[in-house]
């Protein structure tokens, strides 16, 4: 495979995705995303993968509750209808499970206990076991072991655990003395924290508890300083949680509940809450999304029950405890904000108080980062008709994810080059390695450009690709064929064929004048042979030794040249199958020659001489 050697680098440095339709440009900050198919508010959304977001249920324009679902694809900026849920839902909960399926729980449907699973691969919803208690405005989070936990719901302070293997719910467990509309988030160690909520009229609470899935137990934690419900909880990269917004109790106000601008941070290492800088203005119904650099994106919401939605988004900076403007998306309220793996955030839907209508518009926020890329990739000489591989490294030097799309070839000879992908993503400090393969079509300079779009200030970048085609080296002319070796002893016939010797060809590959040529007359008998006569031709004066592996005693005699020497000790001897007859011929100053015949299935199998060949 042309790019097999890139595997180790890619596994460490970047996240790769299959080739997909490329975007011509990446808009940093806010852009108007495509409108949803159906206007909605009070809906719920979840990311399916890097590119797609599933939106379900909600309240349509004119009121009511919907079953409708749709999917947004960031690559095409288009919404596509998905299969509708089996049950109409709004203000329900969604969670993507480890197997890629999505669990939907509760909502405003009566009695509010139904649950169902969505399979993106088949675009189907399937009803599963119902929860034991109604779950309206619940919190739903996944646990490290693959299960999911649903918490609260208006008027309920219990939790239940869903097992995707059995598709059933555990018996409800009490959390603490609070109520529904609390805020929940996963801690870095996999535990789940729940804080705040309300359990009766003006019964706002700051009670906090932590759930440990390994022990299936809740443990009380430090109480939040702000008593509120309907607020947001964002998990920051340093392991702390940022609480903000919602409705808080203020006995000096009329009415005594109002949107809250107060924020605080919970540190699980010290089990403490610390109040932080308040929002610049009151906000309820806003969304908070933690970003990779530790900042928090705050979108939408309104300053009061009779207020219109905010159109300015904010960025909260924990390091300096300050807020800055994050630009102006569309006005969103009763909306969703979904973080995608590449750092983008999709904000969808809204309720517009000015005309009491529900909106279909969506906004997409893209982070800005910096990069360092190889300015050029030079392959050097490349033989025409063969190929070479190289790598262009694009390193994320910023603090937010790097998005690289629309990787494309141009320039003088783009057809000579090939890329192993059209897009990739790199976390802060990581490197996106783009494999490049070149095959020079002809001799001479070959060049192209590799361009790509990114979420940097420069936007588009270009890398020069260079190679030089060289002719293939001349092929060596074929030499003479292998020398003949009729006796198969590894020495050419011209070197070891002894012309003065007679006998079978296979016996002529031994030292000059040293002959070992046994012959036998026999009858086949049951289980072997019976020897009639056994003779050996051997060089005159050579010492002959005949041995049997079984059934005869050794015989020693002297060679007589062309005259055969009879081995009378073998006359009328019965030799069983498997017997080996070894003839060794030796002469002073010469190498010995050995021939081994075998008795196999009532027949004699002639052996080949073994010796160190010497030229005649």
């Amino acid at each position: 495979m042309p790019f097999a050697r890139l595997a180790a680098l890619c596994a460490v440095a970047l996240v790769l995705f299959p080739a997909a339709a490329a975007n011509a440009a990446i808009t940093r900050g806010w852009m108007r995303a495509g409108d949803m198919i159906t206007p909605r508010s009070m809906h719920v959304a979840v990311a399916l993968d890097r590119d797609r977001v599933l939106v379900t249920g909600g309240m349509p324009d004119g009121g009511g509750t919907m079953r409708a679902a749709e999917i947004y694809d960031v690559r095409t900026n288009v919404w596509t209808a998905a299969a509708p849920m089996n049950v109409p839902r709004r203000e329900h909960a969604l969670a993507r499970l480890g197997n890629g399926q999505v669990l939907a729980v509760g909502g405003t449907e009566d009695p509010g206990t139904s649950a169902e699973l969505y399979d993106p691969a088949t675009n189907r919803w399937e009803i599963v076991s119902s929860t034991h208690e109604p779950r309206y405005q619940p919190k739903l989070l996944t646990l490290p072991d693959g299960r999911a936990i649903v918490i609260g719901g208006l008027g309920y302070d219990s939790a239940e655990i869903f097992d995707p293997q059995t598709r059933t719910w555990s018996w409800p467990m009490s959390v603490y003395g609070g109520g529904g509309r609390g805020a929940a988030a996963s801690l870095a160690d996999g535990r789940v924290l729940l804080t705040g909520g309300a359990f009766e009229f003006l019964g706002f609470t700051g009670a906090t508890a932590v759930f440990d899935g390994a022990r299936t137990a809740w443990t009380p934690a430090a109480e939040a300083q702000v008593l509120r419900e309907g607020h947001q909880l964002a998990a920051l990269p340093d392991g702390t949680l940022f609480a903000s917004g919602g409705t808080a109790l203020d006995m000096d106000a009329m009415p005594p509940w109002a949107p809250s601008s107060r924020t605080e941070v919970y540190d699980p290492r010290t089990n403490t809450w610390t109040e932080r800088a308040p929002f610049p203005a009151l906000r309820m119904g806003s969304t908070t999304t933690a970003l990779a650099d530790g900042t928090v994106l705050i979108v939408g919401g309104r300053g009061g029950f009779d207020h219109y939605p905010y159109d300015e988004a904010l960025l909260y900076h924990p390091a300096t405890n300050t807020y800055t403007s994050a630009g102006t998306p569309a006005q969103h309220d009763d909306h969703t904000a979904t973080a995608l793996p590449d750092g983008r955030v999709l904000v969808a839907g809204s309720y517009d108080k000015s005309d009491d209508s529900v909106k279909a518009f969506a906004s997409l926020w893209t982070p800005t980062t910096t990069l360092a890329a190889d300015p050029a990739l030079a392959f050097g000489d490349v033989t025409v008709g063969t190929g070479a591989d190289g790598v262009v490294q694009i390193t994320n030097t910023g603090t937010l994810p790097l998005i690289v799309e629309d990787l494309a070839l141009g320039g003088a000879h783009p057809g000579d080059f090939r890329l192993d992908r059209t897009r990739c993503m790199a976390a802060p400090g990581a490197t996106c390695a783009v494999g490049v393969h070149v095959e020079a079509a002809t001799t001479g300079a070959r060049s192209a450009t590799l361009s790509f779009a990114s979420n940097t200030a420069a936007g588009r970048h270009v890398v020069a690709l260079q190679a030089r085609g060289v002719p293939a080296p001349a092929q060596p002319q074929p030499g003479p064929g292998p020398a003949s070796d009729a006796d198969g002893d590894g020495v050419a016939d011209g070197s070891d064929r002894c012309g003065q010797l007679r006998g079978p060809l296979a016996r002529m590959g031994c030292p000059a004048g040293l002959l070992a040529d046994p012959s036998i007359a026999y009858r086949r008998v049951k289980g072997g042979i019976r020897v009639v006569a056994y003779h050996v031709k051997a060089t005159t004066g050579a010492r002959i030794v005949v041995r049997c592996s079984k059934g005869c005693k050794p015989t020693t005699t002297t060679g007589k040249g062309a005259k055969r020497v009879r081995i009378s000790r073998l006359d009328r001897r019965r030799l069983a199958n498997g017997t080996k007859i070894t003839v060794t011929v030796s002469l002073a100053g010469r190498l010995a020659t050995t021939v081994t015949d075998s008795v196999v299935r009532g027949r004699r199998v002639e052996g080949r001489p073994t010796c160190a060949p010497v030229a005649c």
Side-chain angles (χ1 to χ4, degrees), residues 477-500:
Q477 296 299 316
S484 174
D485 181 20
D487 54 16
D489 63 0
V491 178
D493 292 340
S495 299
D496 73 348
R497 186 75 56 81
C498 300
Q500 68 270 34

Side-chain angles (χ1 to χ4, degrees), residues 520-531 572-577 581 598-604:
I520 186 173
Y522 65 92
R523 291 186 295 105
R524 298 181 67 183
V525 296
K526 184 177 181 180
I529 64 173
R530 187 171 298 280
V531 178
R572 298 179 299 280
R573 182 70 61 180
R574 182 182 181 279
L575 301 178
N577 289 333
I581 309 167
S598 302
V599 179
V600 179
R601 296 180 181 179
R603 296 182 183 278
R604 173 250 192 165

Side-chain angles (χ1 to χ4, degrees), residues 489 491 496 509-512 514 590-594 609-615:
D489 63 0
V491 178
D496 73 348
C510 291
L514 198 56
R590 299 293 187 115
L591 297 177
T593 300
T594 301
T610 59
C611 57
V614 177

